[in-house]
Amino acid sequence: MVEGRPRIVFVPYPAQGHITPMFHLAHAMHHQHGFEAILVNPNFIHNRLIASSSGATDDPDNHGVTYANIPDGLHDGESIDFFSISHAMENHMPCHLERLLKSFETVGGVSCVVVDLLASWAVGVAERCGIPVAGFWPAMLGTYRLISGVPGMICRGLIDKNGTPLQEGATNFIKGQPKLNPEELPWLIGSPSSRRSRFAFWLRTIDRCKSLRWLILNSFHGEETNTENPLSSPRIFHVGPLPTHSLTPTLWCKDSICIEWLDKQSPSSVVYVSFGSWVDPIGDDKVAELALGLEASGKPFLWVLSTAWRSGLPEGYLDRVKGRGMLVSWAPQRDVLGHGAVGCYLMHCGWNSTIEAVERGKRLLCYPVAGDQFLNCAYIVDVWKVGVRLGKLERGEVEEGVKRLMDGCCGDGEGGEMMWRVMALKEQMMGRCGRLGADAELNAFVDALANWTLDECVKLSCFSSL
């Protein structure tokens, strides 16, 4: 703790794709604006961060971000999924976060709590403590508009009260956005009961977030041409993509052996393959088809595939691709995508991965699986035109998709045209104007917070003088 420094508490949703951008935001608020930044995670996440970093997160300076943990009610050996996490957030974590926030009252208090919208349970906790709350959306503005537009979709008869699509065929669920097929809405995952539960989760999130004054987006200006906000509030700040660095915390054990392998490959020759944490729903049959497609492409490839799913590989596969293909359980993705040997990225279209790929000038071969990945894919393929979508994960389609992207990488053909568009999007996102705009938005949020604090002090002063 730093005496006299204003303090902000950050509450991410407990998953790597949410912790990473929240950490980057906390890091920026500390280093650019002098706030004491405290990142709060449930025990099961905190313990994994400690284990994966060999204790580095115990460093009180942790790159300017202090880690705090709260009990989550989960037991050792318990299966942790969307539903167990939701139960922990709703039933165990609120009282512990409230206790933590109140513990700061004797050391200067908390200036603001920044809450990941998927951790909306924390909004009410901060409000009960009398602390201003800012929402954080770790994805693109388009996805926020899609989720917050749910009440309008119900009124327009596009979905029913349980989130079930009522339209057939591709539809513009939100004005100005690319069309989505009915099964591509973010909450349509798993069984019918699972879908209803996920939809109820989003309805609860929308309701809780109506009170937010501010929303910080991990996205860039121009990411979506239609910036109409379906809600009258909150005020939106585009601060992304937030600057990243090699010291970003991870939930996975680090192993950089793949970088040594990449060093031996020719420039722009390697296909990087990673589906993030969504590999599980792909299944053994698709693992086999993907493996055969990569083999048939004739290109060297680096594939992140956990050992649990390698049973789906064809017999004798590892021997046949030895030397040309490398399989790892984890890869330092930022470093891999920044490596000159990587020519394209076969991905699931997670937002963080999309940002990292464009930031490093890589074309994208897309196979979205669930959640916001379908809308991200629609922007990648149909709006920005920096990638190709695989309709099916079959060997022939994988082989053809790889060749479309990798052939002509030096400027000729479809792959070369995509490379030019990727570099233009990278400049829009990460170039001088993009960074200055993002910094200005972050400054505007800090100013808005300061003005709100000043207004509250004036109100209290007027009240006490009565």
Side-chain angles (χ1 to χ4, degrees):
M1 304 297 175
V2 180
E3 190 71 28
R5 176 174 285 178
R7 181 179 296 111
I8 295 184
V9 171
F10 298 83
V11 184
Y13 180 81
Q16 182 72 69
H18 296 254
I19 294 168
T20 295
M22 187 73 94
F23 175 87
H24 293 153
L25 176 62
H27 185 269
M29 292 297 286
H30 172 78
H31 285 279
Q32 296 180 33
H33 296 281
F35 284 92
E36 180 185 347
I38 299 172
L39 190 69
V40 178
N41 288 299
N43 283 341
F44 83 94
I45 289 290
H46 181 80
N47 294 338
R48 288 179 63 183
L49 290 175
I50 295 293
S52 67
S53 58
S54 299
T57 50
D58 284 331
D59 177 2
D61 187 39
N62 196 35
H63 324 304
V65 180
T66 301
Y67 283 32
N69 59 307
I70 57 175
D72 48 41
L74 298 171
H75 304 290
D76 292 341
E78 179 179 351
S79 176
I80 297 177
D81 56 16
F82 174 83
F83 300 104
S84 61
I85 291 173
S86 294
H87 184 270
M89 290 193 302
E90 297 297 326
N91 297 282
H92 293 280
M93 293 162 59
C95 63
H96 297 292
L97 177 62
E98 184 168 350
R99 187 176 298 114
L100 177 67
L101 294 177
K102 289 182 176 179
S103 73
F104 293 124
E105 291 177 356
T106 59
V107 287
V110 175
S111 299
C112 181
V113 178
V114 178
V115 176
D116 187 327
L117 295 197
L118 276 79
S120 65
W121 62 272
V123 172
V125 175
E127 290 176 341
R128 287 196 299 273
C129 294
I131 303 171
V133 188
F136 179 69
W137 186 249
M140 66 183 298
L141 173 62
T143 311
Y144 169 73
R145 291 185 61 241
L146 181 63
I147 293 297
S148 58
V150 160
M153 292 184 219
I154 296 175
C155 290
R156 291 162 56 204
L158 298 177
I159 59 176
D160 66 18
K161 63 180 181 179
N162 294 315
T164 303
L166 300 175
Q167 303 290 314
E168 295 184 1
T171 302
N172 292 113
F173 287 93
I174 296 295
K175 179 181 177 182
Q177 289 191 350
K179 291 182 178 181
L180 294 177
N181 291 317
E183 289 298 301
E184 295 176 345
L185 291 170
W187 51 87
L188 298 180
I189 302 173
S191 65
S193 61
S194 170
R195 295 179 173 203
R196 288 192 295 272
S197 296
R198 290 175 186 272
F199 188 67
F201 171 90
W202 283 117
L203 289 177
R204 186 167 61 243
T205 298
I206 293 168
D207 184 63
R208 286 171 172 170
C209 293
K210 288 178 181 178
S211 64
L212 293 176
R213 298 178 181 85
W214 313 296
L215 178 63
I216 303 170
L217 285 175
N218 181 33
S219 190
F220 58 98
H221 272 294
E223 158 250 289
E224 190 189 45
T225 54
N226 185 348
T227 57
E228 175 186 351
N229 184 4
L231 302 177
S232 58
S233 63
R235 179 181 173 185
I236 291 176
F237 302 91
H238 295 78
V239 303
L242 292 154
T244 62
H245 47 75
S246 59
L247 299 175
T248 300
T250 177
L251 301 179
W252 315 106
C253 294
K254 299 181 179 181
D255 182 359
S256 298
I257 191 173
C258 57
I259 300 298
E260 299 174 11
W261 181 83
L262 286 172
D263 289 339
K264 301 174 184 177
Q265 309 305 314
S266 301
S268 301
S269 65
V270 176
V271 180
Y272 173 54
V273 185
S274 176
F275 288 87
S277 59
W278 279 109
V279 69
D280 290 10
I282 293 175
D284 280 352
D285 56 338
K286 290 190 174 74
V287 167
E289 289 293 310
L290 175 54
L292 293 171
L294 292 171
E295 182 181 12
S297 74
K299 306 292 184 183
F301 60 88
L302 171 62
W303 186 359
V304 180
L305 182 67
S306 69
T307 54
W309 284 95
R310 295 186 190 182
S311 59
L313 294 173
E315 186 176 354
Y317 183 77
L318 294 178
D319 290 332
R320 296 201 305 269
V321 300
K322 187 175 182 180
R324 181 167 66 84
M326 184 176 191
L327 275 69
V328 295
S329 297
W330 181 90
Q333 183 161 289
R334 180 177 180 273
D335 297 331
V336 168
L337 288 171
H339 200 286
V342 174
C344 79
Y345 179 14
L346 200 170
M347 65 176 315
H348 61 312
C349 299
W351 182 244
N352 288 328
S353 294
T354 300
I355 290 293
E356 289 175 349
V358 173
E359 183 181 1
R360 288 153 183 82
K362 307 302 180 185
R363 294 153 297 175
L364 302 171
L365 188 54
C366 305
Y367 186 74
V369 177
D372 66 337
Q373 298 163 13
F374 293 104
L375 185 61
N376 295 340
C377 178
Y379 276 88
I380 290 167
V381 175
D382 301 326
V383 179
W384 304 327
K385 301 183 186 303
V386 297
V388 171
R389 179 171 179 174
L390 297 175
K392 297 179 180 179
L393 210 58
E394 294 181 348
R395 68 190 77 180
E397 192 154 350
V398 171
E399 178 186 3
E400 178 63 23
V402 168
K403 289 181 176 179
R404 285 178 65 184
L405 288 186
M406 296 293 278
D407 293 347
C409 63
C410 296
D412 299 325
E414 185 178 13
E417 292 174 1
M418 283 189 188
M419 177 59 76
W420 287 110
R421 286 193 289 269
V422 168
M423 298 311 292
L425 184 60
K426 174 183 177 179
E427 178 62 24
Q428 177 185 353
M429 183 190 300
M430 301 300 299
R432 183 173 183 274
C433 289
R435 288 309 324 151
L436 287 175
D439 288 344
E441 291 279 284
L442 192 59
N443 292 341
F445 166 67
V446 173
D447 289 343
L449 178 59
N451 290 335
W452 182 89
T453 303
L454 180 61
D455 289 344
E456 289 300 301
C457 289
V458 170
K459 290 177 185 177
L460 288 174
S461 176
C462 292
F463 179 81
S464 63
S465 63
L466 294 177

